[in-house]
Amino acid sequence: MIEIILLSILQGITEFLPISSSSHLILVSKYLNFSNQSLNIDMSLHAGSLIAVITYFKKDIIYFLKDQSLLYKIIISSFPVMIVGYYLVKLGVIDQLRSFKVIGWTTIIFGIFLY
């Protein structure tokens, strides 16, 4: 239970910073030898962030629902991400992307891009 609380706090802090909250969840879980290091835990923590964002931006979301053209654009633009994510999980590539080496290199590369 303590593991989930720590990861929830970490997720809440890092979600809105220009850094990868997912990689921080993986790194902290592996560094502290947490027994629950699964993708399902990470997805649950991200779902909690989604609920918080929806609650905070409720008025903006209602505006999006009223503006049909913007809503359709958001829905249509979400399909490629869902399709790629589906195949990453089905092909087992998602587990390879959750390694220290990939996280390290992508952090360095995106850090250079952000600079």
Side-chain angles (χ1 to χ4, degrees):
M1 185 65 152
I2 297 294
E3 296 172 359
I4 301 300
I5 292 171
L6 283 172
L7 291 175
S8 297
I9 292 169
L10 180 67
Q11 172 68 17
I13 292 170
T14 59
E15 183 63 35
F16 299 103
L17 298 175
I19 55 177
S20 174
S21 61
S22 298
S23 66
H24 283 82
L25 293 174
I26 295 166
L27 294 174
V28 168
S29 292
K30 287 186 180 180
Y31 182 74
L32 297 177
N33 292 323
F34 287 168
S35 59
N36 295 323
Q37 299 182 19
S38 69
L39 182 60
N40 292 332
I41 297 291
D42 292 353
M43 293 297 295
S44 299
L45 294 170
H46 285 296
S49 295
L50 177 64
I51 292 168
V53 168
I54 288 172
T55 303
Y56 184 80
F57 290 108
K58 188 165 97 176
K59 290 180 183 177
D60 294 327
I61 292 171
I62 291 170
Y63 170 75
F64 284 141
L65 293 174
K66 290 178 183 176
D67 185 3
Q68 296 295 317
S69 67
L70 182 59
L71 178 65
Y72 291 138
K73 290 176 186 175
I74 290 171
I75 291 171
I76 290 170
S77 65
S78 299
F79 282 122
V81 173
M82 289 187 280
I83 292 168
V84 169
Y86 173 79
Y87 282 111
L88 286 175
V89 171
K90 274 296 194 195
L91 297 173
V93 177
I94 196 76
D95 294 325
Q96 295 169 356
L97 295 176
R98 294 171 53 89
S99 71
F100 277 151
K101 189 174 184 178
V102 171
I103 291 171
W105 279 109
T106 55
T107 301
I108 291 169
I109 291 168
F110 287 115
I112 291 169
F113 286 149
L114 285 174
Y115 179 73

